[in-house]
Coordinates of all heavy atoms in Angstrom, one line a residue:
E1 N 17.1 26.7 13.5 CA 17.6 25.6 12.8 C 16.9 24.4 13.4 O 16.6 24.3 14.6 CB 19.1 25.4 12.9 CG 19.8 26.5 12.1 CD 21.3 26.4 12.0 OE1 21.7 25.3 12.4 OE2 22.0 27.2 11.6
T2 N 16.7 23.3 12.6 CA 16.2 22.0 13.1 C 17.4 21.3 13.8 O 18.6 21.4 13.4 CB 15.8 21.1 12.0 OG1 14.8 21.9 11.2 CG2 15.1 19.9 12.5
T3 N 17.1 20.8 15.0 CA 18.1 20.1 15.7 C 18.8 18.9 15.0 O 17.9 18.0 14.6 CB 17.6 19.6 17.1 OG1 17.0 20.8 17.8 CG2 18.7 19.0 18.0
P4 N 20.0 18.9 14.7 CA 20.6 17.8 14.0 C 20.7 16.5 14.9 O 20.6 16.5 16.1 CB 22.1 18.2 13.7 CG 22.1 19.7 14.1 CD 21.1 19.9 15.0
G5 N 20.7 15.4 14.3 CA 20.8 14.1 15.0 C 19.8 13.1 14.4 O 19.1 13.3 13.4
I6 N 19.7 12.0 15.0 CA 18.8 11.0 14.7 C 17.7 10.9 15.8 O 17.9 10.8 16.9 CB 19.5 9.5 14.7 CG1 20.6 9.5 13.7 CG2 18.5 8.4 14.4 CD1 21.5 8.3 13.7
H7 N 16.6 11.2 15.2 CA 15.3 11.4 16.1 C 14.3 10.2 15.7 O 14.4 9.5 14.7 CB 14.6 12.7 15.8 CG 15.5 13.8 15.9 ND1 15.9 14.5 17.1 CD2 16.2 14.6 15.0 CE1 16.8 15.5 17.0 NE2 17.0 15.5 15.6
Q8 N 13.3 10.1 16.5 CA 12.2 9.2 16.1 C 10.9 10.0 16.2 O 10.7 10.9 17.0 CB 12.1 8.0 17.1 CG 13.2 7.0 16.9 CD 14.4 7.3 17.4 OE1 14.6 7.9 18.5 NE2 15.5 7.1 16.6
I9 N 9.9 9.6 15.4 CA 8.7 10.2 15.4 C 7.9 9.8 16.7 O 7.9 8.6 17.1 CB 7.7 9.8 14.2 CG1 8.3 10.4 12.9 CG2 6.3 10.3 14.3 CD1 7.7 9.9 11.6
L10 N 7.6 10.8 17.5 CA 7.0 10.7 18.8 C 5.5 10.8 18.9 O 4.9 10.2 19.7 CB 7.7 11.7 19.8 CG 9.2 11.7 19.9 CD1 9.6 12.9 20.6 CD2 9.6 10.5 20.5
R11 N 5.0 11.7 18.0 CA 3.6 12.0 18.1 C 3.1 12.5 16.7 O 3.9 13.2 16.0 CB 3.4 13.2 19.2 CG 1.9 13.6 19.3 CD 1.8 14.5 20.6 NE 2.5 15.7 20.3 CZ 2.1 16.8 20.1 NH1 0.8 16.9 19.7 NH2 2.7 17.9 20.0
R12 N 1.8 12.1 16.3 CA 1.3 12.5 15.1 C 0.0 13.2 15.2 O -0.8 12.7 16.0 CB 1.2 11.2 14.1 CG 2.5 10.6 13.8 CD 2.4 9.1 13.3 NE 1.2 8.8 12.5 CZ 1.2 8.6 11.2 NH1 2.4 8.6 10.4 NH2 0.2 8.3 10.5
V13 N -0.3 14.3 14.4 CA -1.4 14.9 14.5 C -2.0 15.1 13.0 O -1.2 15.9 12.3 CB -1.4 16.4 15.2 CG1 -2.7 17.0 15.4 CG2 -0.7 16.1 16.6
A14 N -3.1 14.6 12.7 CA -3.5 14.7 11.2 C -3.9 16.1 10.7 O -3.5 16.5 9.7 CB -4.6 13.8 11.0
D15 N -4.5 16.9 11.7 CA -5.1 18.2 11.4 C -5.0 19.1 12.7 O -5.7 18.8 13.5 CB -6.4 18.1 10.8 CG -7.0 19.4 10.3 OD1 -6.5 20.5 10.7 OD2 -8.0 19.4 9.6
E16 N -4.1 20.1 12.7 CA -4.1 20.8 13.9 C -3.9 22.3 13.7 O -3.7 22.8 12.6 CB -2.9 20.4 14.8 CG -1.6 20.7 14.2 CD -0.5 20.3 15.2 OE1 -0.7 20.3 16.4 OE2 0.6 19.8 14.7
T17 N -4.0 23.1 14.7 CA -3.8 24.5 14.7 C -2.5 24.8 15.3 O -2.2 24.4 16.5 CB -4.9 25.3 15.4 OG1 -6.1 25.1 14.8 CG2 -4.6 26.7 15.5
M18 N -1.6 25.5 14.7 CA -0.3 25.9 15.3 C -0.3 27.4 15.7 O -0.7 28.2 14.8 CB 0.9 25.6 14.3 CG 1.0 24.1 14.1 SD 2.4 23.9 13.0 CE 2.7 22.2 13.0
D19 N 0.1 27.8 16.8 CA 0.0 29.1 17.4 C 1.3 29.4 18.1 O 1.8 28.7 18.8 CB -1.2 29.2 18.2 CG -1.5 30.7 18.6 OD1 -0.6 31.3 19.3 OD2 -2.5 31.1 18.1
S20 N 1.8 30.6 17.7 CA 3.1 31.0 18.3 C 3.0 31.1 19.9 O 4.0 31.1 20.4 CB 3.6 32.3 17.7 OG 2.6 33.3 17.9
S21 N 1.9 31.3 20.4 CA 1.8 31.5 21.8 C 2.0 30.2 22.6 O 2.2 30.1 23.7 CB 0.3 32.0 22.2 OG -0.6 30.9 21.9
T22 N 2.0 29.0 21.9 CA 2.4 27.7 22.5 C 3.8 27.3 22.3 O 4.2 26.2 22.7 CB 1.5 26.7 21.9 OG1 1.7 26.5 20.5 CG2 0.1 27.0 22.1
L23 N 4.6 28.2 21.7 CA 6.1 27.9 21.4 C 6.7 27.9 22.8 O 6.5 28.7 23.7 CB 6.7 28.8 20.5 CG 6.5 28.6 19.0 CD1 7.1 29.8 18.3 CD2 7.0 27.3 18.5
F24 N 7.7 26.9 22.9 CA 8.6 26.9 24.1 C 9.9 26.6 23.8 O 10.2 26.1 22.7 CB 8.0 26.1 25.2 CG 7.9 24.5 24.8 CD1 9.0 23.7 25.0 CD2 6.9 24.1 24.0 CE1 9.0 22.4 24.6 CE2 6.8 22.8 23.6 CZ 7.9 21.9 23.8
G25 N 10.8 27.0 24.6 CA 12.3 26.6 24.3 C 13.0 27.6 23.4 O 14.1 27.6 23.1
L26 N 12.4 28.7 22.9 CA 12.9 29.7 22.2 C 13.7 30.8 23.0 O 13.1 31.1 24.1 CB 12.1 30.4 21.3 CG 11.4 29.7 20.1 CD1 10.4 30.5 19.3 CD2 12.4 28.9 19.3
N27 N 14.7 31.4 22.6 CA 15.2 32.5 23.4 C 14.3 33.6 23.4 O 13.5 33.7 22.3 CB 16.7 32.8 22.9 CG 16.8 33.4 21.6 OD1 16.1 34.3 21.1 ND2 17.7 32.9 20.9
P28 N 14.3 34.6 24.2 CA 13.3 35.7 24.1 C 13.2 36.5 22.8 O 12.2 36.9 22.3 CB 13.8 36.7 25.4 CG 14.4 35.6 26.3 CD 15.2 34.7 25.4
A29 N 14.4 36.6 22.3 CA 14.4 37.5 21.0 C 13.7 36.7 19.8 O 12.8 37.3 19.1 CB 15.9 37.7 20.5
H30 N 13.8 35.4 19.7 CA 13.1 34.6 18.7 C 11.7 34.5 19.1 O 10.7 34.5 18.2 CB 13.7 33.2 18.6 CG 15.0 33.2 17.9 ND1 16.1 32.4 18.4 CD2 15.4 33.9 16.8 CE1 17.0 32.7 17.5 NE2 16.8 33.5 16.6
Q31 N 11.3 34.4 20.4 CA 9.9 34.3 20.8 C 9.2 35.7 20.4 O 8.1 35.6 19.9 CB 9.8 34.1 22.2 CG 8.5 34.0 22.9 CD 7.8 32.7 22.5 OE1 8.4 31.5 22.6 NE2 6.5 32.7 22.0
A32 N 9.9 36.7 20.6 CA 9.2 38.0 20.2 C 8.9 38.1 18.8 O 8.0 38.8 18.3 CB 10.2 39.2 20.6
Q33 N 9.7 37.5 17.9 CA 9.6 37.5 16.5 C 8.5 36.6 16.0 O 8.0 36.7 14.8 CB 10.9 37.2 15.7 CG 12.0 38.2 15.9 CD 13.3 37.8 15.4 OE1 13.5 36.6 14.9 NE2 14.3 38.6 15.5
A34 N 8.2 35.6 16.7 CA 7.2 34.6 16.4 C 5.8 35.0 16.6 O 5.3 35.4 17.8 CB 7.4 33.3 17.2
N35 N 5.0 35.2 15.5 CA 3.6 35.7 15.7 C 2.8 35.1 14.6 O 2.8 35.6 13.4 CB 3.6 37.2 15.5 CG 2.2 37.7 15.8 OD1 1.3 37.1 16.3 ND2 2.0 38.9 15.4
Y36 N 2.2 33.9 14.8 CA 1.3 33.3 13.8 C 0.2 32.5 14.6 O 0.3 32.2 15.6 CB 2.3 32.4 12.9 CG 3.0 31.2 13.7 CD1 2.4 30.0 14.0 CD2 4.3 31.5 14.2 CE1 3.1 29.1 14.7 CE2 4.9 30.5 14.9 CZ 4.3 29.3 15.1 OH 5.0 28.3 15.8
H37 N -0.7 32.3 13.7 CA -1.9 31.4 14.1 C -2.3 30.6 12.8 O -2.9 31.3 11.9 CB -3.1 32.2 14.7 CG -4.2 31.4 15.1 ND1 -4.3 30.8 16.4 CD2 -5.3 31.1 14.4 CE1 -5.4 30.1 16.4 NE2 -6.1 30.3 15.2
L38 N -2.0 29.4 12.6 CA -2.2 28.7 11.5 C -3.2 27.4 11.7 O -2.9 26.7 12.5 CB -1.0 28.1 11.0 CG 0.2 29.1 10.6 CD1 1.5 28.5 10.5 CD2 -0.1 29.9 9.3
T39 N -4.2 27.5 11.0 CA -5.3 26.4 11.2 C -5.1 25.4 10.1 O -4.5 25.7 9.1 CB -6.7 27.0 11.1 OG1 -6.8 27.6 9.9 CG2 -7.0 28.0 12.2
H40 N -5.5 24.2 10.4 CA -5.5 23.1 9.4 C -4.1 22.7 8.8 O -4.0 22.6 7.6 CB -6.6 23.3 8.3 CG -7.9 23.4 8.8 ND1 -8.6 22.5 9.4 CD2 -8.7 24.5 8.8 CE1 -9.8 22.8 9.8 NE2 -9.9 24.1 9.5
V41 N -3.2 22.7 9.8 CA -1.9 22.2 9.3 C -1.9 20.7 9.3 O -2.2 20.1 10.3 CB -0.8 22.7 10.4 CG1 0.6 22.2 9.8 CG2 -0.8 24.2 10.5
L42 N -1.7 20.2 8.2 CA -2.0 18.7 8.0 C -0.7 18.0 8.2 O 0.5 18.3 7.8 CB -2.5 18.5 6.6 CG -3.8 19.2 6.2 CD1 -4.2 19.0 4.8 CD2 -4.8 18.9 7.3
Y43 N -0.9 16.6 8.7 CA 0.1 15.7 8.6 C 1.4 16.0 9.5 O 2.5 15.8 9.0 CB 0.5 15.3 7.2 CG -0.6 15.0 6.3 CD1 -0.8 15.7 5.1 CD2 -1.6 14.0 6.6 CE1 -1.9 15.4 4.2 CE2 -2.6 13.6 5.8 CZ -2.8 14.3 4.6 OH -3.8 14.0 3.8
T44 N 1.2 16.5 10.6 CA 2.2 16.8 11.5 C 2.8 15.6 12.2 O 2.0 14.8 12.8 CB 1.9 17.9 12.5 OG1 1.3 19.0 11.8 CG2 3.1 18.3 13.4
Q45 N 4.1 15.4 12.1 CA 4.8 14.3 12.8 C 5.9 14.8 13.6 O 6.9 15.2 13.1 CB 5.2 13.2 11.8 CG 4.1 12.6 11.0 CD 4.5 11.5 10.1 OE1 4.5 10.3 10.5 NE2 4.8 11.8 8.8
Y46 N 5.7 14.9 14.9 CA 6.7 15.5 15.8 C 7.8 14.5 16.1 O 7.5 13.3 16.4 CB 6.0 16.0 17.1 CG 5.1 17.1 16.9 CD1 3.8 16.9 17.0 CD2 5.7 18.4 16.7 CE1 2.9 18.0 16.8 CE2 4.8 19.4 16.5 CZ 3.4 19.3 16.6 OH 2.6 20.4 16.3
F47 N 9.0 14.9 15.9 CA 10.2 14.0 16.2 C 11.2 14.5 17.3 O 12.1 13.8 17.5 CB 10.9 13.8 14.9 CG 11.5 15.1 14.2 CD1 12.6 15.6 14.7 CD2 10.8 15.6 13.1 CE1 13.1 16.8 14.0 CE2 11.3 16.7 12.4 CZ 12.4 17.3 12.9
D48 N 10.8 15.4 18.1 CA 11.6 15.7 19.3 C 10.7 16.5 20.4 O 9.6 16.8 20.0 CB 12.9 16.4 19.0 CG 12.7 17.8 18.8 OD1 11.6 18.5 18.9 OD2 13.8 18.5 18.5
D49 N 11.2 16.7 21.5 CA 10.4 17.2 22.6 C 10.4 18.7 22.5 O 9.7 19.4 23.3 CB 11.1 16.9 24.0 CG 10.9 15.4 24.3 OD1 9.9 14.8 23.8 OD2 11.8 14.8 25.0
N50 N 11.1 19.3 21.5 CA 11.0 20.9 21.3 C 9.9 21.2 20.2 O 9.9 22.2 19.7 CB 12.3 21.3 20.9 CG 13.4 21.2 21.9 OD1 13.1 21.4 23.1 ND2 14.6 20.8 21.5
A51 N 9.1 20.2 19.9 CA 7.9 20.4 19.0 C 8.4 20.6 17.5 O 7.7 21.3 16.7 CB 7.0 21.6 19.5
E52 N 9.6 20.0 17.3 CA 10.1 20.0 15.9 C 9.4 18.8 15.1 O 9.3 17.8 15.7 CB 11.6 20.0 15.7 CG 12.2 21.1 16.4 CD 13.7 21.1 16.3 OE1 14.3 20.0 16.2 OE2 14.4 22.2 16.5
G53 N 8.9 19.1 13.9 CA 8.2 18.0 13.2 C 8.2 18.3 11.7 O 8.6 19.3 11.2
L54 N 7.8 17.3 11.1 CA 7.4 17.3 9.6 C 6.0 17.7 9.4 O 5.1 17.1 10.2 CB 7.7 15.9 9.0 CG 9.0 15.2 9.2 CD1 8.9 13.8 8.9 CD2 10.1 15.8 8.4
H55 N 5.7 18.6 8.5 CA 4.2 18.9 8.3 C 4.1 19.6 7.0 O 4.9 20.2 6.4 CB 3.7 19.8 9.5 CG 4.4 21.1 9.6 ND1 4.2 22.1 8.9 CD2 5.3 21.4 10.6 CE1 4.9 23.1 9.3 NE2 5.5 22.7 10.4
D56 N 2.8 19.7 6.6 CA 2.4 20.5 5.4 C 2.7 21.9 5.7 O 2.5 22.4 6.8 CB 0.9 20.3 5.2 CG 0.3 21.2 4.1 OD1 1.1 21.6 3.2 OD2 -0.8 21.7 4.3
N57 N 3.2 22.7 4.8 CA 3.5 24.1 4.9 C 2.7 24.9 3.8 O 3.4 25.4 2.9 CB 5.1 24.2 4.8 CG 5.6 25.5 5.5 OD1 4.7 26.4 5.9 ND2 6.8 25.6 5.6
Y58 N 1.4 24.9 3.8 CA 0.7 25.4 2.8 C 0.8 26.9 2.6 O 0.5 27.5 1.5 CB -0.9 25.1 3.0 CG -1.4 25.8 4.3 CD1 -1.8 27.0 4.2 CD2 -1.7 25.0 5.5 CE1 -2.4 27.6 5.4 CE2 -2.1 25.6 6.6 CZ -2.6 26.9 6.5 OH -3.1 27.5 7.7
W59 N 1.3 27.6 3.6 CA 1.4 29.1 3.6 C 2.7 29.5 2.8 O 2.8 30.7 2.6 CB 1.3 29.7 5.0 CG 2.3 29.2 6.0 CD1 3.6 29.6 6.1 CD2 2.3 28.0 6.6 NE1 4.2 28.9 7.0 CE2 3.5 27.7 7.3 CE3 1.2 27.0 6.9 CZ2 3.6 26.8 8.2 CZ3 1.4 26.0 7.7 CH2 2.7 25.9 8.5
L60 N 3.6 28.5 2.5 CA 4.8 29.1 1.9 C 4.8 28.9 0.4 O 4.5 27.7 -0.1 CB 5.9 28.1 2.5 CG 7.4 28.5 2.2 CD1 7.7 29.9 2.8 CD2 8.3 27.4 2.7
P61 N 5.1 29.8 -0.4 CA 5.1 29.6 -1.9 C 6.2 28.6 -2.2 O 7.2 28.5 -1.6 CB 5.4 31.0 -2.4 CG 5.3 32.0 -1.3 CD 5.5 31.2 0.0
D62 N 5.9 27.8 -3.3 CA 6.9 26.9 -3.8 C 8.3 27.4 -3.9 O 9.2 26.7 -3.6 CB 6.4 26.3 -5.1 CG 5.4 25.2 -4.9 OD1 5.1 24.7 -3.9 OD2 4.8 24.7 -6.0
Y63 N 8.5 28.6 -4.4 CA 9.8 29.1 -4.7 C 10.6 29.3 -3.4 O 11.9 29.5 -3.5 CB 9.8 30.4 -5.5 CG 9.2 31.6 -4.9 CD1 10.1 32.4 -4.1 CD2 8.0 31.9 -5.0 CE1 9.5 33.5 -3.4 CE2 7.4 33.0 -4.4 CZ 8.2 33.8 -3.6 OH 7.7 35.0 -3.0
Q64 N 10.0 29.3 -2.2 CA 10.7 29.5 -0.9 C 11.1 28.2 -0.2 O 11.7 28.2 0.9 CB 9.8 30.4 0.0 CG 9.8 31.8 -0.5 CD 9.2 32.7 0.4 OE1 8.6 32.4 1.5 NE2 9.1 34.0 0.2
F65 N 10.6 27.1 -0.7 CA 11.0 25.8 -0.1 C 12.6 25.6 -0.2 O 13.1 25.9 -1.2 CB 10.3 24.6 -0.8 CG 9.0 24.4 -0.2 CD1 7.9 25.0 -0.8 CD2 8.7 23.6 0.9 CE1 6.6 24.9 -0.2 CE2 7.4 23.5 1.5 CZ 6.4 24.0 0.8
G66 N 13.1 25.2 1.0 CA 14.6 25.0 1.1 C 15.3 26.1 1.7 O 16.4 26.1 2.0
V67 N 14.5 27.2 1.9 CA 15.0 28.4 2.7 C 14.5 28.3 4.0 O 13.3 28.2 4.2 CB 14.6 29.8 2.0 CG1 15.0 30.9 2.6 CG2 15.0 29.8 0.5
P68 N 15.3 28.4 5.1 CA 14.8 28.3 6.4 C 13.7 29.4 6.8 O 13.9 30.6 6.4 CB 16.1 28.7 7.3 CG 17.3 28.3 6.4 CD 16.8 28.7 5.0
H69 N 12.6 28.9 7.3 CA 11.5 29.8 7.7 C 10.8 29.4 9.0 O 9.9 30.0 9.4 CB 10.3 29.7 6.6 CG 10.7 30.3 5.3 ND1 11.3 29.8 4.3 CD2 10.5 31.6 4.9 CE1 11.5 30.7 3.3 NE2 10.9 31.8 3.7
S70 N 11.3 28.3 9.6 CA 10.6 27.9 10.8 C 11.3 28.1 12.1 O 12.4 28.6 12.1 CB 10.1 26.4 10.6 OG 11.2 25.6 10.9
H71 N 10.7 27.5 13.2 CA 11.3 27.5 14.5 C 11.8 26.1 14.7 O 11.7 25.5 15.9 CB 10.5 27.9 15.6 CG 10.0 29.3 15.3 ND1 10.8 30.4 15.6 CD2 8.9 29.9 14.8 CE1 10.2 31.5 15.1 NE2 9.0 31.2 14.7
G72 N 12.2 25.4 13.7 CA 12.8 24.0 13.8 C 12.1 22.9 12.9 O 12.6 21.8 12.9
C73 N 10.9 23.3 12.7 CA 10.1 22.2 11.9 C 10.7 22.2 10.5 O 11.3 23.0 9.9 CB 8.7 22.6 11.7 SG 7.8 22.3 13.4
V74 N 10.3 21.0 9.8 CA 10.6 20.8 8.3 C 9.3 20.9 7.7 O 8.4 20.0 7.7 CB 11.2 19.3 8.1 CG1 11.5 19.1 6.7 CG2 12.4 19.2 9.1
G75 N 9.1 22.0 7.0 CA 7.9 22.2 6.2 C 7.9 21.6 4.8 O 9.0 21.6 4.2
L76 N 6.8 20.9 4.5 CA 6.7 20.1 3.2 C 5.6 20.6 2.5 O 4.6 21.1 2.9 CB 6.5 18.7 3.6 CG 7.6 18.0 4.5 CD1 7.2 16.6 5.0 CD2 8.9 17.9 3.7
R77 N 5.7 20.4 1.1 CA 4.5 20.5 0.2 C 3.4 19.4 0.6 O 3.8 18.5 1.2 CB 4.9 20.4 -1.2 CG 5.9 21.5 -1.7 CD 6.3 21.3 -3.2 NE 7.2 22.3 -3.6 CZ 8.4 22.3 -3.5 NH1 9.0 21.2 -3.1 NH2 9.1 23.4 -3.9
L78 N 2.3 19.7 0.4 CA 1.1 18.8 0.8 C 1.4 17.4 0.4 O 1.2 16.5 1.2 CB -0.3 19.4 0.2 CG -1.5 18.5 0.6 CD1 -1.6 18.3 2.1 CD2 -2.6 19.1 -0.1
A79 N 1.7 17.2 -0.9 CA 1.9 15.8 -1.4 C 3.0 15.0 -0.7 O 2.9 14.0 -0.3 CB 2.1 15.8 -2.9
D80 N 4.0 15.8 -0.4 CA 5.2 15.2 0.4 C 4.8 14.9 1.8 O 5.1 13.9 2.4 CB 6.4 16.1 0.3 CG 7.0 16.3 -1.1 OD1 6.8 15.4 -2.0 OD2 7.6 17.3 -1.5
A81 N 4.1 15.9 2.5 CA 3.7 15.6 3.9 C 2.7 14.4 3.8 O 2.8 13.6 4.9 CB 3.0 16.9 4.3
A82 N 1.8 14.3 2.9 CA 0.9 13.2 2.9 C 1.7 11.8 2.7 O 1.3 10.8 3.3 CB -0.2 13.3 1.8
W83 N 2.6 11.9 1.8 CA 3.4 10.6 1.6 C 4.1 10.1 2.8 O 4.0 9.0 3.2 CB 4.4 10.9 0.5 CG 5.2 9.6 0.1 CD1 4.8 8.7 -1.0 CD2 6.4 9.1 0.7 NE1 5.7 7.7 -1.0 CE2 6.5 7.9 0.0 CE3 7.2 9.4 1.7 CZ2 7.7 7.1 0.3 CZ3 8.2 8.6 2.1 CH2 8.5 7.5 1.5
F84 N 4.8 11.1 3.6 CA 5.4 10.7 4.8 C 4.5 10.3 5.8 O 4.7 9.3 6.6 CB 6.3 11.9 5.3 CG 7.6 12.0 4.7 CD1 7.9 13.1 3.8 CD2 8.6 11.2 5.0 CE1 9.1 13.1 3.2 CE2 9.9 11.2 4.4 CZ 10.1 12.2 3.5
W85 N 3.3 10.9 5.9 CA 2.3 10.5 6.9 C 1.8 9.1 6.6 O 1.6 8.2 7.6 CB 1.1 11.5 6.7 CG 0.0 11.1 7.6 CD1 -1.1 10.3 7.4 CD2 -0.3 11.6 8.9 NE1 -2.0 10.3 8.5 CE2 -1.4 11.0 9.5 CE3 0.6 12.3 9.9 CZ2 -1.9 11.2 10.7 CZ3 0.2 12.6 11.1 CH2 -1.1 12.0 11.6
N86 N 1.6 8.7 5.3 CA 1.1 7.4 5.0 C 2.2 6.4 5.1 O 1.9 5.1 5.3 CB 0.6 7.4 3.6 CG -0.7 8.0 3.5 OD1 -1.5 8.1 4.4 ND2 -1.0 8.8 2.5
W87 N 3.5 6.8 5.0 CA 4.6 5.9 5.1 C 5.2 5.6 6.5 O 5.4 4.5 6.9 CB 5.8 6.4 4.2 CG 7.0 5.6 4.3 CD1 7.3 4.5 3.7 CD2 8.2 5.9 5.1 NE1 8.6 3.9 3.9 CE2 9.2 4.9 4.8 CE3 8.6 7.0 5.9 CZ2 10.4 4.9 5.3 CZ3 9.9 7.0 6.5 CH2 10.7 5.9 6.1
A88 N 5.1 6.7 7.4 CA 5.8 6.6 8.6 C 4.9 6.2 9.8 O 3.6 6.3 9.6 CB 6.5 7.9 9.0
T89 N 5.3 5.9 10.9 CA 4.7 5.6 12.1 C 5.4 6.1 13.3 O 6.5 6.6 13.2 CB 4.4 4.0 12.2 OG1 5.6 3.4 12.4 CG2 3.6 3.5 11.1
I90 N 4.8 6.0 14.5 CA 5.5 6.3 15.7 C 6.6 5.4 15.8 O 6.6 4.3 15.5 CB 4.5 6.1 16.9 CG1 3.3 6.8 16.9 CG2 5.4 6.2 18.2 CD1 3.5 8.3 17.0
G91 N 7.8 6.0 16.1 CA 9.1 5.3 16.1 C 9.9 5.4 14.9 O 11.2 5.0 14.9
T92 N 9.5 5.7 13.8 CA 10.2 5.8 12.5 C 11.3 6.9 12.7 O 11.2 8.0 13.3 CB 9.3 6.3 11.3 OG1 8.3 5.3 11.1 CG2 10.2 6.6 10.1
S93 N 12.5 6.5 12.3 CA 13.6 7.4 12.5 C 13.6 8.6 11.5 O 13.1 8.4 10.4 CB 15.0 6.7 12.1 OG 15.2 5.7 13.1
V94 N 14.0 9.7 12.0 CA 14.1 11.0 11.2 C 15.6 11.4 11.4 O 16.1 11.7 12.6 CB 13.1 12.1 11.6 CG1 13.4 13.4 10.9 CG2 11.7 11.6 11.6
V95 N 16.3 11.6 10.3 CA 17.8 12.0 10.4 C 17.9 13.3 9.9 O 17.5 13.7 8.8 CB 18.6 11.0 9.6 CG1 20.1 11.6 9.7 CG2 18.5 9.5 10.1
V96 N 18.4 14.2 10.8 CA 18.5 15.6 10.4 C 20.1 16.0 10.4 O 20.8 15.5 11.4 CB 17.8 16.5 11.4 CG1 18.1 18.0 11.1 CG2 16.4 16.3 11.6
H97 N 20.5 16.5 9.3 CA 22.0 16.9 9.2 C 22.1 18.2 8.5 O 21.3 18.7 8.1 CB 22.8 15.8 8.5 CG 22.3 15.4 7.1 ND1 22.6 16.1 6.0 CD2 21.3 14.5 6.7 CE1 22.0 15.5 4.9 NE2 21.3 14.6 5.3

């Protein structure tokens, strides 16, 4: 689950590689289940120190949006991720409930 609360965007990465080997803060059972290497993840905006963020989620079919699939991130369709990228800046509030 994404950590509830009021957060601020701390760091932005326009195009990055996300790899399960760099995850931290997960319990051992969840770490063992995490196995991915995703290139060209666009418009990532991290909003906490546990690497939770908003980002493009190109690998998820449209019919699965709204169903939990991540280790705390909020996956978005490309158009939505781009909109948030162009609208938000470092320090913009992100409210998770």
Side-chain angles (χ1 to χ4, degrees):
E1 293 186 12
T2 308
T3 306
I6 300 173
H7 310 278
Q8 284 78 39
I9 293 175
L10 304 172
R11 183 169 61 98
R12 294 164 35 109
V13 182
D15 183 348
E16 72 175 325
T17 297
M18 292 183 171
D19 192 292
S20 58
S21 68
T22 63
L23 283 175
F24 60 93
L26 294 181
N27 69 46
H30 288 137
Q31 184 71 43
Q33 294 173 354
N35 183 20
Y36 59 85
H37 181 85
L38 301 164
T39 59
H40 300 294
V41 180
L42 302 178
Y43 308 124
T44 303
Q45 300 187 85
Y46 292 105
F47 56 79
D48 79 0
D49 292 329
N50 294 322
E52 294 178 344
L54 308 163
H55 61 75
D56 171 36
N57 202 352
Y58 65 81
W59 56 93
L60 190 65
D62 277 349
Y63 69 87
Q64 290 187 357
F65 276 88
V67 178
H69 283 91
S70 78
H71 300 284
C73 285
V74 177
L76 303 167
R77 292 178 180 94
L78 178 58
D80 296 330
W83 187 92
F84 277 108
W85 180 266
N86 290 321
W87 175 78
T89 61
I90 300 292
T92 297
S93 292
V94 176
V95 179
V96 178
H97 55 86

